[in-house]
Amino acid sequence: MPEIIITREGIIKLLKNLKSHKAAGPDDLAPAVSKELSTEIAPVLQKIYTKSIQTHIIPSDWKKARICPIFKKGDKDRPENYRPISLTCICSKILEHIITSCIMSHLEVYNILYPLQHGFRKNRSCESQLLEFVTDLIDTPPNTKQTDVIIMDFSKAFDKVPHNRLLLKLKFYGIRNNTLGWIKNFLFNRQQCVAVDGESSAPTLVLSGVPQGSVIGPALFLIYVNDLPNGI
């Protein structure tokens, strides 16, 4: 994978596309502020982003997440009845977006991703997967008596990705040098806390998994499970 080049124009475009009503991350910098000042802060962010990739160093605030529990249904006293929403810093998300775009381009150019993988990919979705599935059913020979479907669900899949094994797979697929070094720093020594009604818990270390609420997390998960069909 080629080295990543950060441009001022690219940063401005991403900042202007921010949704103003979205919540701020742990640094309390609202998206509306970043969007309004995109032209002014883009040159500064360009220098910070370039230095971060070259040195594999990430500001500590960018490695923090604020977990906001959103009630789903059932008994309000049971934690499992809440959906955790992870809020991370806007500045980190912009850099993650740039890195993720480069990674996905690399994976697509060399046809690295498993062809039947529809999640988190451009021009693919639940709908495209469903269309292929229905087509397979329709194309089943008429004399076939029965079609069996096996459906598997990964329990807390994003939370259980071991970091060292993920880094080995990234390297295997050609994501190396500064990009790999940056991702390694991004994954390790991350912290998160839970925020409810204006109060926050003490921060705790995140020891495994790809960061939820991050932009790069889904791409890292795709890479981690990419070779799964080889064993099924």
Side-chain angles (χ1 to χ4, degrees), residues 68-111:
C68 297
I70 306 299
F71 178 68
K72 294 187 292 185
K73 60 181 179 178
D75 187 352
K76 289 189 174 183
D77 293 331
R78 299 181 68 86
E80 60 266 27
N81 290 335
Y82 290 79
R83 177 182 290 108
I85 303 298
S86 180
L87 302 177
T88 56
C89 298
I90 299 298
C91 290
S92 175
K93 286 185 174 182
I94 296 296
L95 179 54
E96 290 174 55
H97 194 290
I98 296 170
I99 294 175
T100 301
S101 178
C102 294
I103 288 175
M104 294 304 293
S105 176
H106 168 73
L107 297 176
E108 296 290 349
V109 165
Y110 291 99
N111 295 316

Side-chain angles (χ1 to χ4, degrees), residues 179-194:
T179 306
L180 183 64
W182 189 92
I183 294 174
K184 180 178 180 179
N185 191 294
F186 179 79
L187 291 173
F188 286 93
N189 293 320
R190 295 191 66 86
Q191 294 183 333
Q192 65 183 23
C193 67
V194 178

Side-chain angles (χ1 to χ4, degrees), residues 156-164 166 183 186-188 190 192 206-212 214 216-218 220-221 224:
K156 299 186 182 299
F158 271 43
D159 297 334
K160 295 183 178 180
V161 175
H163 293 159
N164 286 326
L166 170 61
I183 294 174
F186 179 79
L187 291 173
F188 286 93
R190 295 191 66 86
Q192 65 183 23
V206 181
L207 301 178
S208 68
V210 294
Q212 297 195 35
S214 66
I216 200 172
L220 297 179
F221 183 74
Y224 185 72

